[in-house]
Amino acid sequence: MPMTALSTLRRLVVTGLAGLLLGPVAGAATLDAIYEGSLVPESFDAPFPITVEVRDVQGVIVGQIKTGSPYSGSAPITSGEFDSGRCTLRAPINVGTVLRLSGTCHPRLFEGRYTLSSNRKEGSSTGTFRLMRKADPGKPGDEAARRRAVLPTTTLTECINANTRCLVGCPKGDYNTEFLCVNRCRQRHLACKGKATAPPPAPVRSDQPEAEER
């Protein structure tokens, strides 16, 4: 095998092993926030309010989006990705209207561009947004507990969907590169499954008759 091919293969193996070893550590920094602000249309129409609740689960964003008039609606995030400080979210905020947000997301700020596709009388809209993290009116622990109650828990279905998207994105044609990519997807999938919430056990019903009052 030529020396250049050996060098390339060695770099791929070293890079892949480093990714596998550092993957769980890199994925430890998660995003968990509630953002508020406005979507600003390019058409010079009036901005309209939006609230975005997000939680990162091994690179997959789950949460909720709520918008105000004239595009009032609320829906869970159906497709969300978090990668190196960038978020891409998609949600059908109401029947016939789909909102897509893409930009940089940090614990205190989420900004970028939006596309709102609609077949309703309001029509479609594109523009920019700059959302700030919602201020905590009480104790930090209170806000965290409230967010956990609002945001959906991680499910095995979300882990499977995230793994499918990861595998589809792996490059084809080079066996070594594809093999390393598939291994990274597998590591992320296992980490996601470890955080998935199992359904609560069904209550046990007693067959013993209740004691009669004396």
Side-chain angles (χ1 to χ4, degrees):
M1 184 180 292
M3 185 61 67
T4 54
L6 284 172
S7 300
T8 302
L9 180 58
R10 187 179 296 109
R11 284 197 301 270
L12 288 172
V13 172
V14 172
T15 302
L17 290 175
L20 290 174
L21 293 173
L22 297 178
V25 177
T30 59
L31 186 68
D32 187 355
I34 301 177
Y35 301 102
E36 288 184 327
S38 298
L39 300 179
V40 183
E42 292 179 338
S43 59
F44 300 104
D45 291 337
F48 52 99
I50 181 173
T51 300
V52 181
E53 305 173 10
V54 296
R55 180 161 57 90
D56 168 44
V57 183
Q58 297 295 320
V60 178
I61 294 292
V62 297
Q64 187 91 5
I65 294 179
K66 182 178 181 180
T67 54
S69 179
Y71 299 95
S72 299
S74 178
I77 296 171
T78 57
S79 175
E81 295 183 0
F82 176 55
D83 184 18
S84 302
R86 289 193 62 83
C87 289
T88 301
L89 314 178
R90 184 177 182 275
I93 56 176
N94 53 47
V95 178
T97 304
V98 177
L99 175 63
R100 183 179 184 273
L101 305 174
S102 181
T104 56
C105 47
H106 302 288
R108 298 187 178 278
L109 176 66
F110 181 21
E111 62 179 343
R113 295 189 60 82
Y114 80 88
T115 301
L116 196 151
S117 305
S118 177
N119 56 16
R120 306 177 69 183
K121 63 179 181 179
E122 294 87 358
S124 300
S125 175
T126 58
T128 61
F129 65 89
R130 181 180 174 85
L131 313 179
M132 302 300 296
R133 182 168 184 158
K134 186 176 181 179
D136 180 11
K139 298 179 181 179
D142 294 340
E143 182 189 8
R146 186 178 65 83
R147 287 204 307 270
R148 286 194 294 270
V150 172
L151 294 176
T153 56
T154 307
T155 66
L156 289 176
T157 300
E158 291 169 347
C159 295
I160 293 172
N161 291 339
N163 186 54
T164 300
R165 289 195 295 268
C166 182
L167 292 174
V168 170
C170 286
K172 304 296 187 294
D174 187 310
Y175 173 80
N176 294 302
T177 304
E178 183 177 357
F179 175 76
L180 294 173
C181 180
V182 169
N183 272 333
R184 284 195 295 269
C185 293
R186 179 175 179 274
Q187 292 295 323
R188 293 177 62 179
H189 181 56
L190 292 175
C192 183
K193 286 175 61 179
K195 291 186 176 182
T197 302
V204 178
R205 186 173 182 178
S206 176
D207 294 332
Q208 295 292 334
E210 296 183 0
E212 296 182 359
E213 295 184 1
R214 295 183 178 180

